[in-house]
């Protein structure tokens, strides 16, 4: 887990050494700008990330939470989860966003494996149910061909 701070007025961004390590860059090498932060954000996640930061920077809501991907300099894609809060001056003007960021890649991989297993089990239950309802060998063969081809997205 690493800490970050963003000043929307100046565009300055501060990262802890741990956050630099999460992003796969040497300690002390982060340029400290908003553009440098955006450099490794996955292109598909960029619009959602920008909208989320704009909303948080406006002060509404005061809490920031986002999951997004980065592409590290070594080419590895990692999932990150950022939590932060918006701090305003007494007039309500945006002062800064502060928060923490965690690498959740392992959690995302486990979720994807669990979802794939659930889909596979549903297909197997469908095939098993069709075979159980079949009475004759020809019906069993038809059920197997139909169910397996449906599970594979193929044509029998």
């Amino acid at each position: 887990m690493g800490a970050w701070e963003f000043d929307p007025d100046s565009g300055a961004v501060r990262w802890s050494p741990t956050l630099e390590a999460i992003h796969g860059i040497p300690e002390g090498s982060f340029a400290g700008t908003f553009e440098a932060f955006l450099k490794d954000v996955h292109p598909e996640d960029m619009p959602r990330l920008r909208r989320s930061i704009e909303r948080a920077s406006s002060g509404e809501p005061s809490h920031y939470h986002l999951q997004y991907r980065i592409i590290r300099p070594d080419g590895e894609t990692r999932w990150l989860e950022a939590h932060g809060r918006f701090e305003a001056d007494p007039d309500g003007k945006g002062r800064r966003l502060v928060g923490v960021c965690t690498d959740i890649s392992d959690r995302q991989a486990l979720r994807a494996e669990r979802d794939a297993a659930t889909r596979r089990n549903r297909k197997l239950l469908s095939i098993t149910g069709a075979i159980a309802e079949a009475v004759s060998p020809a019906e069993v063969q038809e059920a197997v061909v139909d169910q397996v081809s449906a599970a594979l997205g193929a044509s029998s």
Side-chain angles (χ1 to χ4, degrees):
M1 180 181 296
W4 54 268
E5 179 181 338
F6 171 54
D7 179 339
D9 289 335
S10 70
V13 179
R14 286 186 209 73
W15 281 358
S16 68
T18 310
L19 195 51
E20 289 176 315
I22 288 171
H23 281 259
I25 61 174
E27 186 175 328
S29 67
F30 178 61
T33 65
F34 189 65
E35 292 74 27
F37 158 65
L38 294 177
K39 187 172 83 172
D40 64 358
V41 173
H42 194 287
E44 292 175 10
D45 297 341
M46 185 71 72
R48 188 170 42 85
L49 182 132
R50 283 185 178 276
R51 282 190 307 272
S52 182
I53 291 173
E54 287 168 9
R55 280 187 33 232
S57 296
S58 72
E60 197 58 46
S62 62
H63 294 294
Y64 174 83
H65 173 249
L66 184 67
Q67 293 180 354
Y68 62 97
R69 292 166 292 176
I70 61 168
I71 302 171
R72 293 167 37 133
D74 63 6
E76 182 180 14
T77 299
R78 305 294 295 177
W79 275 96
L80 304 183
E81 182 172 52
H83 290 273
R85 74 181 188 323
F86 177 75
E87 293 182 349
D89 61 23
D91 297 327
K93 185 176 184 312
R95 195 171 55 187
R96 66 183 186 146
L97 282 163
V98 294
V100 294
C101 191
T102 307
D103 185 327
I104 60 165
S105 300
D106 292 341
R107 182 181 0 156
Q108 293 295 90
L110 288 172
R111 180 177 294 143
E113 287 176 25
R114 183 193 67 219
D115 292 348
T118 298
R119 287 190 302 275
R120 185 175 52 251
N121 287 340
R122 284 187 184 135
K123 289 177 185 178
L124 289 173
L125 285 172
S126 177
I127 293 168
T128 303
I131 292 171
E133 291 176 8
V135 178
S136 69
E139 288 176 338
V140 170
Q141 180 182 6
E142 183 179 339
V144 168
V145 169
D146 289 348
Q147 291 294 317
V148 170
S149 64
L152 297 174
S155 172
S156 60

